[in-house]
Amino acid sequence: MSGQTSLAGHELIAGPYRVELVRSAADLKATDWNDVVHRAAGTIFHTWEWLTAFEEAPPGEFEAAHLLAYEGERLVGICPAYLVRQCPRLDYALALGQAEDLRERGPLLLAHSLAGLHGGPLALPGHQAAAQALVAGLEQAARSLGAWAWGVANVPADGFAGRLLGAGYAGAHVATAYRLDTANAAPAGYWAAMPSRRRSKLYREQRLGGRGLTIAETDLDTDILVRLTHELLREYNTPTDVLPEPFLRAVSRHLRPYARATVATGEDGEIVATFAGWEFAGEWSMWIAGLRTGRYPAFEPYHAMLAHTIDAALTTDTRVLNLGRGNAAVKARYGAVGTPLYLALKSDDRRDTALLHAWCRRLEARSHASPHGLGASSRCC
Amino acid sequence: MPGWDEDIDHRPTVASVSGRRVVDVMVEAGVRTILFDDPIPLDLAFVADVPVDLDLDDWPAAESVLRRLHLQQPIDAVIGVYDLSLPLAAYLAARLGVRGLSLAAVMNCNDKLRMRLTLRAAAINVPAHVVVSESGEAQAAARRLGYPVLVKKVTGAAGAGTLLCRDQRQVKDAVTALHDDTDPRLLVEEYVDGPEYAIQTVTRDSVTELISVFSQRTATDGRLVELGYDFPPGLDESQESELRRLVITALRALGFDHGIAHTQVRLTPAGPVLINVVARPPGGRLCEVTEAVSGVDMVQAALDVALGIPLSRRAPVAEHVRYRCVTFDQAGTVSYDPGALTERAAPAPLISMDVNTGDHVSPKGGVYGRIISYDDDPLSLERLTGALGLSVQPHPSEGQ
């Protein structure tokens, strides 16, 4: 690989793992990278294609700073990361946490983006120490690249998040992703296992909301993706710069091999609602929704689309259906379980880390006080 | 003395974020005392050297004030001994670069989800749990975990945000009862059965010392209220050693560097399960009984740790503690003999009530008083209880 900066030898990187820094997805070997993502239970948001789209049309000012952990010559861990100079979602999180002045301190090194549903390092089974080496590498890279702080965005509430919090990282529970285990059930069993009153109510909502619509899993035209996504964002007074058109187009193009979308089409043939997502390594991530909001102000098609998506996941090899953030009550009724996602940040200086704690504390308080869980949920997809 | 300026106050300076007892201890220890509170109680305003009234939620303002004071005369440490004041105290210590408990440790203790994540990452058993935000999710989580379950606030509980639920209806009611707009997250958690222990510790420069271990009695009839504590705790050597190792590992995992803690652990057939850690002295009269059996005053210990000086120790005055909380299993009007109340220092027995004869009490009201015997004779506790002559006249409308 070219364009790599070796960070080996720095005192924070301990153990047998060598960590290298790569400044562009173009300098990564896609198959090796994706193989680690696949085997380390990563998701579409870690894939080489996602990173390539992100670099091609970034929703802000980002410089790639991806980290790779090697045991000998074998790639055993990866950590996508960006030196973030400007990011609408991060700006919003700073504003929510009344910490706008932190923006003036310069760039943050973030692994990797608030846009995805999953962030943080991944390591092959049996190489968990490589994840720690990657965090040490992240810290070293932050110093080398002039970032005043570093951290992980949307890291799920698991052992790795716990290790970061125990290591002094400031943390904010900024969102919850709702995931449905679809590995061990067929549609009949899934619906039968649901309490009968709830099932009846959901059937009714699906029937009423889906009236006159054809729901199907199909290819999603990029123009429609952009139009309906932006229409929904505008309905919630969310600036479309969180998902700018070039970014949506780049994502749509690069991730096409993994695309799985559910769409609702009206009797006139017009696509009126979309769930756009991708499946990678058995996890189908429904990332972004779009809607003709003028026609369906109460999200009427969504119940039928959700049911169709679940049935589709249950009848294919999908292991997990990730229904994304927000609308906890609806997703929980379908049996999805919330996984808290954390933003975890740290600085070299105790005084600066205290500022990060204060920011995260206010951000979390403001997020949970909002009717959608995270006040920024619409801005964070 | 060369270089000695008579006009300068040479006492060490410590800022405390609220706290009545801690101010008394600081003044007694000859510490120059800065007190932040909202508002400062009038009596403390005359005791603290620098009383400062301010909004304790406005961290930048508090920092600005403390920074000015720090410039006038250097501050050695910032401490807090209440759940709600600990984050600000740790923040101010970090921002000024002076001694104080790690802010990360405080934040990890103030949020039960974060605490469980951190402990689990350190291979410490914690109750299985699911974070939820509404009743449907909570009921589904309870079904997955199996009844009974606990429903508890993730933050802001201040010791009173947990309900035991045995069925779906109770889970729904618990979600309604505990709902808080400022943080709607709740934990639905497996109920861990087994003997419980309360462990008091002091951590200095990341080295933790166990100060006292009490066996704890907790009601299991849905009230989830503490019923009492006993010392010695009845642990054999290997159990005590296991508990010690667990608590030390847990505090290290949470990021404790300088501070005191009160930890609750349950022993189960599958091993010890850590229930909770708070970075402050224990509540009720546990500080007094800890001092009686260990010679260490936990508030004084917090100050000693903050100042970086050796731990003050007196000789223990008791080898046994039987501590019973006064709780009620029916609502009504309480009556007792006020002449039986006694508040003498340990090892004299203590009978203390927080309500007066004629006041209303209920099972949901928690602890209304404490009876403590330092005698090895179990009958002494019965005698003290008998002397108090507690009774409750049920209200006709309230029944049980």
Side-chain angles (χ1 to χ4, degrees):
Chain A
M1 290 177 191
S2 61
Q4 297 183 3
T5 304
S6 177
L7 293 175
H10 285 244
E11 62 183 43
L12 277 176
I13 305 171
Y17 298 105
R18 185 178 87 253
V19 175
E20 292 184 357
L21 172 66
V22 174
R23 301 307 309 274
S24 166
D27 293 327
L28 298 169
K29 195 171 173 188
T31 49
D32 289 357
W33 180 277
N34 280 357
D35 181 57
V36 173
V37 177
H38 191 286
R39 293 165 62 202
T43 64
I44 192 73
F45 306 101
H46 283 90
T47 59
W48 178 84
E49 289 83 355
W50 172 273
L51 303 177
T52 299
F54 210 89
E55 286 171 38
E56 184 179 299
E61 291 176 41
F62 299 84
E63 291 174 25
H66 307 311
L67 298 162
L68 301 95
Y70 291 91
E71 184 189 49
E73 294 307 308
R74 183 181 173 215
L75 182 65
V76 295
I78 58 109
C79 180
Y82 294 100
L83 189 66
V84 183
R85 297 193 182 279
Q86 191 272 327
C87 166
R89 289 187 183 83
L90 205 57
D91 286 349
Y92 189 58
L94 286 164
L96 266 185
Q98 299 168 328
E100 291 95 331
D101 52 336
L102 295 184
R103 199 179 299 131
E104 290 156 21
R105 290 177 168 253
L108 275 169
L109 183 61
L110 205 56
H112 51 298
S113 159
L114 287 163
L117 299 177
H118 186 188
L122 296 174
L124 292 180
H127 294 277
Q128 293 315 304
Q132 292 302 109
L134 286 163
V135 171
L138 193 69
E139 299 178 12
Q140 289 289 1
R143 293 178 196 114
S144 305
L145 299 172
W148 74 278
W150 63 88
V152 181
N154 288 341
V155 59
D158 60 10
F160 183 74
R163 280 194 290 278
L164 292 178
L165 296 172
Y169 278 66
H173 171 186
V174 288
T176 300
Y178 286 85
R179 303 169 87 233
L180 189 67
D181 182 351
T182 53
N184 299 310
Y190 165 79
W191 293 106
M194 195 176 278
S196 58
R197 278 183 63 188
R198 192 185 341 150
R199 183 174 59 238
S200 302
K201 204 168 174 197
L202 291 178
Y203 279 162
R204 184 168 174 274
E205 285 167 353
Q206 290 159 23
R207 196 174 59 251
L208 294 176
R211 192 178 287 159
L213 295 173
T214 302
I215 313 295
E217 186 185 340
T218 183
D219 287 342
L220 178 57
D221 178 80
T222 305
D223 290 337
I224 294 170
L225 168 73
V226 172
R227 181 159 48 80
L228 295 188
T229 300
H230 281 184
E231 193 167 331
L232 188 58
L233 290 177
R234 278 191 284 268
E235 178 70 16
Y236 276 85
N237 299 317
T238 301
T240 53
D241 64 353
V242 299
L243 290 169
E245 180 172 342
F247 175 57
L248 285 175
R249 289 189 180 283
V251 164
S252 181
R253 187 171 62 258
H254 285 285
L255 273 61
R256 188 166 298 280
Y258 311 108
R260 288 190 75 177
T262 303
V263 304
T265 309
E267 287 171 333
D268 55 2
E270 182 188 3
I271 291 177
V272 294
T274 56
F275 290 166
W278 307 276
E279 181 162 332
F280 184 84
E283 179 154 337
W284 183 0
S285 303
M286 274 305 190
W287 182 58
I288 188 81
L291 184 69
R292 280 291 308 275
T293 54
R295 196 155 148 188
Y296 297 104
F299 306 97
E300 288 86 345
Y302 280 2
H303 270 290
M305 292 171 70
L306 200 48
H308 191 280
T309 304
I310 290 168
D311 281 348
L314 291 167
T315 49
T316 54
D317 290 336
T318 305
R319 192 173 36 81
V320 173
L321 176 60
N322 191 333
L323 294 169
R325 297 167 276 203
N327 296 320
V330 173
K331 290 168 183 172
R333 286 168 70 198
Y334 283 89
V337 178
T339 299
L341 302 176
Y342 276 86
L343 174 65
L345 298 160
K346 200 176 181 188
S347 164
D348 267 332
D349 188 301
R350 178 190 177 202
R351 289 165 297 188
D352 287 346
T353 300
L355 291 176
L356 295 170
H357 275 286
W359 168 30
C360 285
R361 176 179 169 271
R362 288 189 297 264
L363 172 62
E364 195 171 84
R366 291 287 300 277
S367 301
H368 293 308
S370 87
H372 298 290
L374 177 67
S377 61
S378 56
R379 304 196 186 210
C380 295
C381 312
Chain B
M1 189 183 292
W4 184 265
D5 187 338
E6 293 291 339
D7 293 334
I8 294 177
D9 188 339
H10 292 278
R11 293 177 295 168
T13 299
V14 176
S16 173
V17 181
S18 67
R20 178 173 295 278
R21 165 107 171 86
V22 73
V23 170
D24 289 342
V25 168
M26 285 160 72
V27 170
E28 196 174 315
V31 168
R32 181 171 168 266
T33 303
I34 298 170
L35 177 64
F36 281 7
D37 213 336
D38 181 21
I40 301 263
L42 192 58
D43 56 330
L44 291 186
F46 291 107
V47 177
D49 294 283
V50 186
V52 183
D53 267 319
L54 49 73
D55 176 0
L56 297 182
D57 208 37
D58 189 346
W59 289 16
E63 181 187 339
S64 169
V65 170
L66 200 62
R67 209 171 271 289
R68 278 204 303 277
L69 294 169
H70 190 48
L71 279 174
Q72 289 164 14
Q73 184 164 340
I75 291 163
D76 296 282
V78 186
I79 65 172
V81 292
Y82 297 123
D83 288 328
L84 296 177
S85 63
L86 280 161
L88 175 58
Y91 171 79
L92 293 171
R95 290 293 296 155
L96 262 64
V98 301
R99 282 178 75 96
L101 177 57
S102 139
L103 181 52
V106 170
M107 302 308 280
N108 288 336
C109 288
N110 269 29
D111 178 309
K112 288 187 171 60
L113 174 59
R114 198 176 296 200
M115 181 192 297
R116 276 149 182 65
L117 277 176
T118 309
L119 293 173
R120 188 172 272 178
I124 291 169
N125 285 333
V126 295
H129 58 273
V130 180
V131 60
V132 302
S133 58
E134 54 87 47
S135 64
E137 264 187 297
Q139 289 171 324
R143 273 195 302 275
R144 282 198 301 278
L145 292 168
Y147 289 99
V149 294
L150 300 175
V151 179
K152 52 177 68 173
K153 290 184 174 185
V154 171
T155 58
T162 302
L163 293 169
L164 181 66
C165 304
R166 298 186 184 280
D167 57 41
Q168 287 216 58
R169 180 81 220 171
Q170 289 184 354
V171 169
K172 189 175 180 185
D173 291 346
V175 170
T176 304
L178 296 176
H179 179 78
D180 180 351
D181 278 337
T182 60
D183 186 352
R185 294 175 304 162
L186 296 169
L187 281 189
V188 179
E189 190 167 279
E190 71 166 322
Y191 175 73
V192 175
D193 203 4
E196 184 163 3
Y197 298 89
I199 303 108
Q200 286 55 245
T201 52
V202 175
T203 303
R204 306 156 58 82
D205 299 316
S206 303
V207 177
T208 294
E209 177 188 354
L210 259 68
I211 301 298
S212 67
V213 180
F214 298 97
S215 66
Q216 178 172 344
R217 296 160 181 243
T218 305
T220 55
D221 56 5
R223 289 180 295 157
L224 218 69
V225 63
E226 61 187 295
L227 296 179
Y229 301 88
D230 289 299
F231 181 89
L235 293 163
D236 63 32
E237 205 172 304
S238 77
Q239 287 173 315
E240 186 151 345
S241 170
E242 186 177 30
L243 215 55
R244 180 187 305 273
R245 204 167 39 244
L246 177 88
V247 171
I248 289 170
T249 308
L251 295 181
R252 189 184 305 132
L254 290 166
F256 269 70
D257 50 5
H258 313 288
I260 59 173
H262 164 64
T263 302
Q264 289 157 297
V265 176
R266 285 199 173 180
L267 296 186
T268 75
V273 178
L274 200 143
I275 304 296
N276 198 31
V277 180
V278 289
R280 57 159 171 78
R285 309 300 282 255
L286 269 184
C287 269
E288 289 169 48
V289 295
T290 287
E291 187 174 0
V293 300
S294 70
V296 174
D297 173 346
M298 291 297 285
V299 177
Q300 177 73 53
L303 178 62
D304 292 344
V305 170
L307 289 171
I309 62 174
L311 210 56
S312 310
R313 292 176 196 269
R314 301 180 184 87
V317 297
E319 292 181 350
H320 297 274
V321 174
R322 294 174 197 278
Y323 176 130
R324 294 296 173 267
C325 300
V326 177
T327 65
F328 298 98
D329 54 13
Q330 62 180 350
T333 302
V334 67
S335 70
Y336 61 84
D337 176 10
L341 300 179
T342 172
E343 283 275 2
R344 287 176 296 155
L350 178 143
I351 306 177
S352 157
M353 290 295 290
D354 303 335
V355 285
N356 297 314
T357 282
D359 283 350
H360 180 263
V361 295
S362 81
K364 290 180 180 170
V367 176
Y368 288 93
R370 291 149 193 96
I371 302 170
I372 302 172
S373 161
Y374 293 97
D375 197 326
D376 189 23
D377 180 3
L379 293 177
S380 64
L381 195 63
E382 284 183 28
R383 281 194 292 274
L384 294 170
T385 307
L388 188 59
L390 269 176
S391 67
V392 174
Q393 181 67 43
H395 290 180
S397 60
E398 293 184 299
Q400 293 297 306

